[in-house]
PDB file of all heavy atoms in Angstrom:
ATOM      1  N   GLY A  21       4.906 -12.527 -10.356  1.00 69.00           N
ATOM      2  CA  GLY A  21       5.724 -12.888  -9.101  1.00 69.00           C
ATOM      3  C   GLY A  21       6.132 -11.617  -8.432  1.00 69.00           C
ATOM      4  O   GLY A  21       6.228 -11.640  -7.285  1.00 69.00           O
ATOM      5  N   GLY A  77      13.348 -10.322   7.061  1.00 88.00           N
ATOM      6  CA  GLY A  77      13.778 -11.181   5.982  1.00 88.00           C
ATOM      7  C   GLY A  77      15.021 -12.007   6.466  1.00 88.00           C
ATOM      8  O   GLY A  77      15.002 -13.152   6.273  1.00 88.00           O
ATOM      9  N   ARG A 139      13.655  -5.984  17.304  1.00 88.00           N
ATOM     10  CA  ARG A 139      13.377  -4.829  16.578  1.00 88.00           C
ATOM     11  C   ARG A 139      12.838  -4.992  15.204  1.00 88.00           C
ATOM     12  O   ARG A 139      13.444  -4.491  14.254  1.00 88.00           O
ATOM     13  CB  ARG A 139      14.676  -3.946  16.566  1.00 88.00           C
ATOM     14  CG  ARG A 139      15.120  -3.316  17.858  1.00 88.00           C
ATOM     15  CD  ARG A 139      16.321  -2.541  17.804  1.00 88.00           C
ATOM     16  NE  ARG A 139      17.440  -3.172  17.374  1.00 88.00           N
ATOM     17  CZ  ARG A 139      18.631  -2.632  16.969  1.00 88.00           C
ATOM     18  NH1 ARG A 139      18.719  -1.337  16.990  1.00 88.00           N
ATOM     19  NH2 ARG A 139      19.665  -3.390  16.681  1.00 88.00           N
ATOM     20  N   GLY A 234      13.668 -14.067 -19.182  1.00 88.00           N
ATOM     21  CA  GLY A 234      12.272 -13.611 -19.183  1.00 88.00           C
ATOM     22  C   GLY A 234      11.756 -13.193 -17.803  1.00 88.00           C
ATOM     23  O   GLY A 234      11.107 -12.076 -17.631  1.00 88.00           O
ATOM     24  N   VAL A 261      -4.849 -17.008  -9.943  1.00 75.00           N
ATOM     25  CA  VAL A 261      -3.835 -17.568 -10.724  1.00 75.00           C
ATOM     26  C   VAL A 261      -3.426 -18.853 -10.055  1.00 75.00           C
ATOM     27  O   VAL A 261      -3.276 -19.898 -10.589  1.00 75.00           O
ATOM     28  CB  VAL A 261      -2.600 -16.622 -10.871  1.00 75.00           C
ATOM     29  CG1 VAL A 261      -1.352 -17.423 -11.504  1.00 75.00           C
ATOM     30  CG2 VAL A 261      -2.992 -15.461 -11.774  1.00 75.00           C
ATOM     31  N   THR A 275      -3.872 -38.222 -12.781  1.00 84.00           N
ATOM     32  CA  THR A 275      -4.158 -38.959 -14.091  1.00 84.00           C
ATOM     33  C   THR A 275      -2.805 -39.442 -14.696  1.00 84.00           C
ATOM     34  O   THR A 275      -2.801 -40.029 -15.682  1.00 84.00           O
ATOM     35  CB  THR A 275      -4.832 -38.042 -15.073  1.00 84.00           C
ATOM     36  OG1 THR A 275      -4.119 -36.857 -15.279  1.00 84.00           O
ATOM     37  CG2 THR A 275      -6.232 -37.778 -14.525  1.00 84.00           C
TER      38      THR A 275
END
Side-chain angles (χ1 to χ4, degrees):
R139 293 182 293 169
V261 173
T275 57

